[in-house]
Amino acid sequence: MSLALNQWTTRRWSVAEAVDGCVRHGLEAVGLWREKVAEQGLAQSVKLVREAGLRVSSLCRGGFLTAGGLPGEDGRRAFAQALESNRRAIDEAAELSAACLVMVVGGLPGAQPGEPLPAAGFSRDLAGARERVAEALAELAPYAGERGVKLALEPLHPIYCPDRAVLSTLGQALDLSLAHPEEQVGVVVDTFHVWWDPRLFEDVARAGRRIASYQVCDYLHPLPADVLLGRGMMGDGVIDFTPITRAVRAAGYTGDVEVEIFNAEIWAADPDEVVATMKTRYEELVLATG
């Protein structure tokens, strides 16, 4: 496994700056975000990555498939729009030769990430939302397969179930992936989201070659007021990385290991210092598997 910088860890960096930073710090791979790729331009992003000799460990993100659970025409329109947006994301991942397209599947229909629940146009049908995800995957997986792109379902910690991901455990994501060929649909193991799961090691072993991405950062305690920013540098929180990394390796994963951190203090820091610390903590904590 090789260390990769997820672009959101050094959020201030453009694609060009992130690519340059990876080269400067001796990293071989970078995880890109669609917003940053759009700002840089897709063709220019592809050129920068290839000329630097970097791998794109992931493209983030596709997903948000559950709005199709709204009733009537609103639901039909939202579902069609989600499919079209994800087809564009798949095309971008193909152009970048990304190892996978990370899929954050979406929360309850009508709930918007980080915003109060609307008075109307909102559904509490959690089971139905998960069915919409399965329906969307049935449409998108063959499209991704034709373009050599693997969709990577990312389960998020249950605190994000209302507005970001109705998949809360690795087991849920894995079960959903099994309806499709492993080269089309896999799963993400993100330590922040899955460290607490009592079935984690069983499901990592069960996932095997369907593990499409391994992302690491720490879970801070207490969480900040904005729980989205509760990710910390490895060693600053409660996660024991050793058994998780050992399990991911034993399952057969040999891909890149992305450090993906959402944290206001880290975003405000010197990105080069962040990457230097990231490298040290990775070697001391993530690779120290005994």
Side-chain angles (χ1 to χ4, degrees):
M1 298 191 295
S2 178
L3 177 62
L5 170 68
N6 184 287
Q7 194 176 9
W8 224 243
T9 299
T10 52
R11 187 175 176 180
R12 284 188 284 156
W13 273 352
S14 65
V15 171
E17 291 168 327
V19 167
D20 182 64
C22 286
V23 172
R24 194 165 56 250
H25 288 275
L27 304 181
E28 299 177 359
V30 61
L32 297 177
W33 277 66
R34 293 184 68 202
E35 296 94 324
K36 297 289 189 178
V37 169
E39 290 171 4
Q40 189 76 57
L42 177 58
Q44 180 66 10
S45 297
V46 170
K47 182 174 184 288
L48 287 166
V49 169
R50 290 181 180 169
E51 289 183 349
L54 296 178
R55 296 183 297 276
V56 177
S57 49
S58 73
L59 179 64
C60 195
R61 61 193 179 199
F64 290 92
L65 306 168
T66 55
L70 294 172
E73 183 59 30
D74 287 344
R76 288 188 290 271
R77 181 169 56 250
F79 191 67
Q81 289 172 345
L83 291 178
E84 181 56 30
S85 174
N86 278 275
R87 291 188 188 102
R88 290 196 302 270
I90 291 166
D91 292 341
E92 292 165 15
E95 286 293 318
L96 290 160
S97 300
C100 64
L101 173 65
V102 174
M103 302 289 285
V104 177
V105 298
L108 293 171
Q112 298 299 317
E115 297 182 8
L117 293 175
F122 158 67
S123 170
R124 292 181 171 85
D125 184 4
L126 178 57
R130 290 171 176 153
E131 290 175 2
R132 299 296 83 72
V133 176
E135 290 174 5
L137 281 177
E139 296 280 343
L140 295 171
Y143 186 89
E146 291 169 0
R147 287 152 183 80
V149 173
K150 178 177 282 191
L151 306 179
L153 302 177
E154 181 170 18
L156 268 57
H157 191 284
I159 55 176
Y160 302 112
C161 186
D163 61 350
R164 284 185 169 85
V166 295
L167 299 180
S168 300
T169 68
L170 183 61
Q172 285 179 314
L174 179 59
D175 288 345
L176 196 56
S177 77
L178 294 177
H180 308 281
E182 66 179 31
E183 64 271 15
Q184 293 181 8
V185 184
V187 296
V188 179
V189 177
D190 183 321
T191 56
F192 178 86
H193 293 301
V194 302
W195 70 274
W196 59 274
D197 186 351
R199 292 179 54 89
L200 174 60
F201 300 107
E202 177 183 338
D203 285 327
V204 166
R206 189 164 64 97
R209 298 200 317 179
R210 284 192 184 263
I211 299 176
S213 179
Y214 181 36
Q215 297 180 334
V216 297
C217 70
D218 221 329
Y219 187 101
L220 300 180
H221 181 78
L223 289 171
D226 184 349
V227 295
L228 186 66
L229 306 184
R231 293 168 171 257
M233 187 65 72
M234 296 82 72
D236 290 349
V238 301
I239 297 176
D240 183 359
F241 294 94
T242 296
I244 301 175
T245 300
R246 185 182 294 132
V248 169
R249 274 181 162 166
Y253 183 75
T254 58
D256 297 304
V257 183
E258 286 186 5
V259 175
E260 183 188 55
I261 301 176
F262 292 41
N263 183 293
E265 291 183 3
I266 288 176
W267 289 344
D270 181 339
D272 282 295
E273 293 181 3
V274 170
V275 175
T277 301
M278 178 185 93
K279 289 175 63 178
T280 299
R281 299 286 183 90
Y282 174 76
E283 293 169 359
E284 293 177 350
L285 299 173
V286 179
L287 289 187
T289 56

